[in-house]
Amino acid sequence: MRKQILQSSAWAMAIFLATVWTAKYNFAAGFAQSICFFALTFCLLQRFESKGKEVYAVTSAIIAGRVILEIPVRIITFHDSLGSLGISIMVIVTILLAALLYMKRQLSLLILTIIIVILLGTAGIDAWIDFVNYIRK
């Protein structure tokens, strides 16, 4: 199980580094990273044939791998990096939805996941940016 956790974290870091350039584009960053991390989570869970506690361990490792590279930036410039925190929240929700979809495997859950990601990527990011602008005033 330790090998699965390390591989999951490493893959998440690699995917984050591969998609971090999309942060320049507000809407594209959320969708690009969400799609990549959704696919990564689902593929790793299938590859490891995860069941029970393994699903939680692999999912947690993916979330940790995604977030750990941001921690230094958020510590140093927390106030300035608040805008991109919405994208991180969106990606974490997508990772959790991918794990839930892997465990349940229902078409209705897939449709609900797509709707949630679209809503988070459009209205959610707009609301987050408005909230951050309100805090900065």
Side-chain angles (χ1 to χ4, degrees):
M1 171 120 75
R2 194 174 284 171
K3 183 178 177 183
Q4 293 174 353
I5 292 171
L6 291 174
Q7 283 182 355
S8 299
S9 292
W11 272 107
M13 287 181 207
I15 295 294
F16 176 69
L17 291 174
T19 60
V20 77
W21 64 271
T22 61
K24 181 178 179 182
Y25 311 103
N26 251 351
F27 294 108
F31 286 122
Q33 289 187 22
S34 290
I35 291 168
C36 290
F37 277 95
F38 181 87
L40 174 71
T41 304
F42 203 82
C43 289
L44 286 179
L45 288 172
Q46 275 189 328
R47 178 178 169 210
F48 297 140
E49 297 175 354
S50 301
K51 294 179 184 166
K53 291 183 180 179
E54 290 178 0
V55 173
Y56 301 120
V58 171
T59 304
S60 299
I62 292 170
I63 291 171
R66 165 63 172 83
V67 173
I68 201 159
L69 295 175
E70 291 184 336
I71 291 174
V73 173
R74 300 228 184 264
I75 289 173
I76 294 169
T77 61
F78 181 74
H79 191 67
D80 293 333
S81 67
L82 272 176
S84 65
L85 188 61
I87 294 171
S88 298
I89 293 169
M90 180 181 170
V91 172
I92 290 170
V93 168
T94 305
I95 292 169
L96 294 173
L97 287 171
L100 183 65
L101 182 66
Y102 174 78
M103 291 189 313
K104 300 292 181 185
R105 296 187 189 248
Q106 296 175 350
L107 179 63
S108 59
L109 192 57
L110 175 64
I111 294 168
L112 183 64
T113 300
I114 292 169
I115 291 170
I116 289 172
V117 169
I118 290 171
L119 286 175
L120 283 175
T122 55
I125 294 295
D126 281 342
W128 181 258
I129 290 173
D130 290 343
F131 174 71
V132 169
N133 289 336
Y134 177 75
I135 289 176
R136 289 185 180 165
K137 286 183 183 179

